Amino acid sequence: MQIPAVKAEKRSASGTKAMRKLRAGGLIPGVLYGKGQENLNVQLQAHDVVDLASGETHVVQLDFGGNKSLALVRGIDRDHLADTLNHIDFLRVDLTDKVRVRVPVTFLGTAKGVAHGGVMEVLRGDVTLLCTADKIPAHVEVEVAHLEIGDSVRYRDLKLGAGIEIGVNPNTIVVHCTHPRKIEEVAPAPGAEAAAGAAAPGAAPAPGAAPAAGAAPAAAAGAAKGAAPAAAPAAKGGKK
């Protein structure tokens, strides 16, 4: 494993305003910690660490001008909108230290099932590994050309070097070939069309349906007219 050297300097500036000024000057702030030593604030040239964002470089040698320190890239804070790095965390390590790292997965080929109408779906783009610092792979390659519709590759199927272990559930699916998803049309609920037609202006009422709203006042008016003559004879008999 080739370990890249990165020039670094001790950093005295801190605080949000100072960090913005630092980045504007082409420097990336960071911190180096671990091995029972005090945390050390550092700064690095942005063009020297841009490759660290790819996730394929894990162990670096920080060069402080004669004083060198092996370090594991433990965390990267980046601005995804501006595509720039904001801060890097480094952990002091020895090459024999067992570490937990996330390594990107690279897919080789195209699933055979794609030619038969299938779709290849990538469910995991990286894998967590447990190994010594000197055995961390840049990435893990996965052959997918043999996948037919219904086939999948799980973490347990990955080909890893000696001394490298899977650090997550080995049954987790990384990639599979599946049938394309169908977009189903939702059918209207039973009676929905009839209800819509009944609500339309000018629609004829269904047999046995209640009279329209305008019919009730008319019937009431007719009943009132018929009631008036019946009341008159009663009043006339009262005079006698």
Side-chain angles (χ1 to χ4, degrees):
M1 181 178 86
Q2 187 175 2
I3 301 176
V6 179
K7 292 183 178 180
E9 299 176 343
K10 294 181 181 180
R11 169 173 57 88
S12 57
S14 61
T16 303
K17 187 175 181 180
M19 295 302 97
R20 288 176 180 170
K21 186 176 180 180
L22 203 68
R23 297 185 193 98
L27 295 172
I28 303 299
V31 62
L32 174 64
Y33 59 92
K35 290 292 183 185
Q37 302 179 38
E38 292 184 1
N39 293 354
L40 178 64
N41 291 330
V42 300
Q43 60 188 36
L44 312 97
Q45 293 289 337
H47 57 75
D48 288 340
V49 297
V50 66
D51 291 340
L52 300 184
S54 68
E56 295 201 2
T57 300
H58 301 279
V59 178
V60 298
Q61 188 173 67
L62 298 179
D63 186 352
F64 292 95
N67 182 19
K68 299 180 180 180
S69 179
L70 281 176
L72 176 70
V73 180
R74 177 51 73 190
I76 295 180
D77 178 25
R78 62 182 301 169
D79 185 338
H80 292 278
L81 295 178
D83 195 26
T84 56
L85 301 181
N86 289 333
H87 191 277
I88 304 178
D89 290 350
F90 296 98
L91 175 67
R92 295 183 183 94
V93 293
D94 292 327
L95 292 182
T96 55
D97 290 341
K98 195 168 187 177
V99 296
R100 177 186 292 266
V101 292
R102 291 176 65 181
V103 175
V105 175
T106 301
F107 300 94
L108 304 179
T110 302
K112 189 184 297 184
V114 172
H116 304 150
V119 175
M120 190 181 85
E121 290 186 339
V122 175
L123 304 182
R124 296 290 187 276
D126 56 41
V127 56
T128 299
L129 303 177
L130 294 173
C131 60
T132 54
D134 63 336
K135 292 184 177 179
I136 303 174
H139 57 269
V140 175
E141 295 182 346
V142 180
E143 291 278 357
V144 297
H146 65 284
L147 295 180
E148 289 282 8
I149 296 177
D151 293 340
S152 63
V153 175
R154 301 174 184 268
Y155 279 141
R156 68 187 182 211
D157 302 320
L158 301 183
K159 296 179 180 179
L160 305 174
I164 303 178
E165 304 172 25
I166 298 292
V168 289
N169 185 350
N171 293 319
T172 302
I173 295 177
V174 180
V175 58
H176 66 176
C177 186
T178 183
H179 292 283
R181 299 180 182 179
K182 295 180 180 179
I183 301 177
E184 298 183 359
E185 295 185 3
V186 179
E193 294 183 358
K225 287 180 181 179
K236 192 173 180 182
K239 269 187 173 183
K240 287 182 181 180

